[in-house]
Amino acid sequence: MSTSEKNAASQRPSPLALIYQGRTGHNYSWVFFGDANGDGFTFNDLFYMPSGPSDPKVRWNSTTERDNFFAYAQSSGLTRYAGQIVPRNSETSPWVQTVDLKFTQAIPIYRNVHAELFASLINLGNLLNRKWGLQQEVVFSYGRAVAGATYDATAGQYVYTFTPSTLDPVPIVANDQPVSRWQVQTGLRIRF
């Protein structure tokens, strides 16, 4: 084998590649459901975490909502911000982990000209099990609503509402975007 043939062979990609990606999810902020400060913009007001059930700045629609909220706040870690506004981008969506598989095959055509066939299996885990490789993430604009609030100027308090409709879960974006679904990409490249 000549030196040029050895160099060409060493530049060809390996026929099989396995690629793992693991990364943290995007940061997001806890926000009020709706327009808490009355500026006409919804879902952008950073959430004030009451200091406790008897916080003088907050009144609840019902004791059931209040008790449900504090149970949720305890389980989600919101209680670490008791008595303050939860900082912007203080939370992180779950980790994203995917495995991709790529096959390549070089076919000599003429002298230094080669065709390279390839097939990539993107998000192989999701092909094997539909519960694997899902991207769970708070979507853009990276705000997650937790409770609604309106301001009662006569009492000088916010009136909080906490129901299933005011709480945004971390969604699985499998149906919204193709990033959570397995995909196959094929192609042909000519190298010379």
Side-chain angles (χ1 to χ4, degrees), residues 28-48:
Y28 66 89
S29 305
W30 286 107
V31 296
F32 281 103
F33 180 87
D35 183 14
N37 67 0
D39 65 357
F41 296 99
T42 58
F43 300 96
N44 70 338
D45 304 320
L46 292 176
F47 185 71
Y48 171 75

Side-chain angles (χ1 to χ4, degrees), residues 24-29 88-93 137-139 141-143:
T24 60
H26 288 106
N27 291 346
Y28 66 89
S29 305
R88 184 174 307 283
N89 296 326
S90 61
E91 305 301 314
T92 306
S93 291
E137 180 163 273
V138 173
V139 295
S141 65
Y142 308 115

